[in-house]
Structures are given as C-alpha cells and as structure tokens.
Amino acid sequence: MTKRFLAIGECMVEMAPREDGAFGMGFAGDVFNTAWYMRRCCDERVDVGFLSAIGDDDVSRRMEEFIRHAGVSPHLAVLPGRSVGLYLISLRDGERSFSYWRSVSAARDLADHLGEVTRLGPGDMAFFSGITLAILPDAGRARLLDSLRQARAAGVRIAFDPNLRPRLWADGATMCAAVMEGACVADIVLPSFEDEASWFDDADKAATARRYREAGAGLVVVKDGALPVLLAQGDDFDEVAVTPAQSIVDTTAAGDSFNARFLCGCMTGESAPDAACAAATLAAKVIGARGALVETA
Ligand code: ADP
C-alpha cells in the first residue's frame, strides 16, 4: 500500500552565479529540498508530495513543471495575479551571500489551501519547518498548526525541522515562541544544535533534545555538523557518529537532505540509528557538491 509524505512550505526561484558571470535559474526551498531528496531515497511505495501556493505567471508554471518532473506530486494552489519568491546568490571572494524577494510570494497564503492535509491518514507523514511558519501571517500559522494537530489525532505522523531563521521574524523571542508552538504538534523534531544553542541557550545536545521531548515529540534528532547526531527516543539518548566530509564545497541543504533520508527510514520501518547513519552519509555527499539539489546516485 502506498504511504504519503507531504512537505508543506515555500519553493523559491534560485538565481545562482555561473562561472561565465551570468546567473542560472533553479528552484529550491528547505522543505521542498527535503521532498526532492525524499523522492530519490524512497521507492514508489511512498508518494512524495509538496503543498504550497504559486502564482499564475510563467515562472510559477515552470516551478510546477520542475516539481512534477522531479517526481514530486504538486499540491499547489494557483493564486491569480501573484508570483513566487526569489533569491539571488552573490559570490564575492569565495563567500556566498543571499538576497531575497519573497514578501509577495503566493506561498504566504498556503494555509488557505490545506485540503491535502485532511486527506492524509494513518501511516502517512506531514513535514513542515520553522521557515514554513515564518512566512505565514499569524492567522495562517494558527490554521496550519490546527490542521496538523487534527491530522496527528487521525494517526498521521508529523515531522518538524525548527530551521531557525531570525531574519524572517520580528525578533528572536517571537521566533522561539512560534517554533516551540510548532514543535508541540510534532512527533519527530529535527533541530540543528548550533542554531538551537544560540537562540535557546541549550548547554548541549541533550538539553535541546529534552526541550523538544517535553514539548511532546516522541523522537528528537539533533544534528550538529560533522559532530555526532543525538537521537532521543523516549528516555533513551544515543549518539550516531558522523564521518567528517572529505571536501566541503557548499553546505546548502545538508540538513534538508539529512531530513529526507532520515524520514524515509522512519516511513519504511528502518531503525532510527540506521536511518540517521544513512542520512549522514547522504548529507556528506550533498556538501561535497555545489547547489541545494545534488544528484548523488
Ligand atoms: P544544517 O545544514 O541544517 O545547519 P547541520 O550543519 O547540523 O545542519 O548538518 C546537517 C547534517 O549534515 C549533519 O548532521 C551531518 O550529518 C551533515 N554534515 C554537516 N556538516 C558536515 C561535515 N563537515 N562533514 C560531514 N557531515 C556533515
């Protein structure tokens, strides 16, 4: 029987510098990246979907084609007169910096179109992030969390990556409060320790895991760059070693690809340590190449 994985969030146009000085256009965004990798990790017993909103212009249509072509089922509300968000990567002396145009992105209204969430059932999984929460207006955020709470009560597993991005929030306190609210509807939380330590003052990975366990998550997976991943399941805390990458070319989507492989394991009955180990192997390959979406097979 097919199980369904539904990622909920924003996909953006990516303008990335090429060697000839021109910019190449692609599409990326945290939970979308996870859906993209998920499609490559899981076999056809898992249907991978992406829920968002786009505009009715040409670039929105191209985005939908890209999503479909990647094998991800698009669940996209088409909002007349709107468009999608865009970011541009600048390279100066080898350092990357990002400029964003996302204030009018149709994805900000995705919470008005959550029908697909209600169609999930036991054995399915919904995935969202702190960035999904950050782009929504207050009422939309409340609607999304409500819908996920109902799905969870109906047996859908909810996975959440806090993905702390202070630039997207009015202030740090608002971000931390909203992220903890998001964590309260989740069964699986996948934080990154460095960000968590700076915004929640966690002394160590166990403190991060305990905070999310207390919010109600049965499984917390604390990522920490090249350092071991901490798995907290019930009262058991286990570390999974990470082999430091041979070459670090571009760390974009390390966490997103890790999430995909880990959650694929969760959906197919793999043990959490085995899934974390395979997830770390995939993430290490992803940081060895340029761009968010890396073909690793
Ligand atoms: P994020 O990209 O979300 O900030 P992390 O930096 O914690 O997350 O990285 C996510 C995962 O990517 C890590 O758990 C690890 O598996 C892998 N990873 C990140 N940096 C390295 C590295 N230098 N060497 C090997 N693996 C890495």
Side-chain angles (χ1 to χ4, degrees):
M1 204 184 77
T2 307
K3 292 180 185 174
R4 303 181 57 197
F5 174 83
L6 184 66
I8 304 167
E10 181 179 29
C11 182
M12 303 177 80
V13 175
E14 178 196 77
M15 302 302 296
R18 293 191 318 215
E19 284 182 0
D20 62 1
F23 284 83
M25 189 174 96
F27 298 100
D30 68 334
V31 296
F32 172 70
N33 300 343
T34 296
W36 191 91
Y37 282 106
M38 188 86 175
R39 182 62 287 155
R40 276 150 186 78
C41 295
C42 283
D43 63 25
E44 62 287 350
R45 283 172 300 175
V46 179
D47 175 79
V48 178
F50 176 61
L51 185 153
S52 192
I54 58 173
D56 58 354
D57 55 352
D58 183 61
V59 71
S60 296
R61 272 190 293 276
R62 283 190 198 210
M63 180 183 284
E64 179 165 6
E65 274 164 31
F66 178 83
I67 293 168
R68 206 182 290 281
H69 192 250
V72 173
S73 311
H75 301 289
L76 304 171
V78 178
L79 309 185
R82 302 283 292 278
S83 189
V84 290
L86 179 148
Y87 68 95
L88 184 139
I89 304 170
S90 306
L91 259 184
R92 194 178 285 273
D93 304 327
E95 284 292 311
R96 288 153 60 93
S97 63
F98 295 81
S99 303
Y100 291 93
W101 291 265
R102 73 197 312 180
S103 57
V104 296
S105 164
R108 296 169 74 90
D109 291 331
L110 69 82
D112 296 339
H113 308 277
L114 295 172
E116 210 48 42
V117 179
T118 62
R119 286 188 268 282
L120 299 176
D124 296 337
M125 185 182 285
F127 174 60
F128 72 116
S129 77
I131 297 180
T132 310
L133 297 179
I135 62 163
L136 299 178
D138 291 349
R141 199 177 307 139
R143 256 196 313 281
L144 172 64
L145 294 181
D146 224 34
S147 159
L148 292 171
R149 215 172 279 121
Q150 284 175 33
R152 189 184 192 192
V156 177
R157 264 193 301 176
I158 312 293
F160 174 60
D161 183 336
N163 240 332
L164 305 177
R165 293 289 184 280
R167 283 212 307 190
L168 297 179
W169 295 93
D171 53 60
T174 309
M175 172 178 75
C176 290
V179 159
M180 290 314 293
E181 224 185 310
C184 286
V185 307
D187 302 286
I188 305 172
V189 180
L190 304 122
S192 283
F193 179 63
E194 204 178 58
D195 298 343
E196 301 287 324
S198 50
W199 290 98
F200 287 97
D201 286 333
D202 296 335
D204 53 23
K205 281 179 266 190
T208 304
R210 271 196 303 274
R211 181 165 45 77
Y212 287 117
R213 285 278 300 111
E214 280 158 19
L219 174 57
V220 183
V221 185
V222 188
K223 296 161 279 178
D224 192 9
L227 297 172
V229 174
L230 180 71
L231 290 176
Q233 257 182 313
D235 294 326
D236 293 335
F237 283 51
D238 289 308
E239 287 209 328
V240 172
V242 169
T243 309
Q246 300 285 344
S247 75
I248 301 177
V249 175
D250 179 358
T251 58
T252 308
D256 303 334
S257 56
F258 181 101
N259 293 344
R261 181 59 187 86
F262 184 81
L263 294 174
C264 172
C266 292
M267 290 194 77
T268 54
E270 200 172 20
S271 76
D274 285 353
C277 197
T281 303
L282 173 62
K285 284 186 193 160
V286 168
I287 65 179
R290 244 165 100 149
L293 306 178
V294 178
E295 295 284 3
T296 55

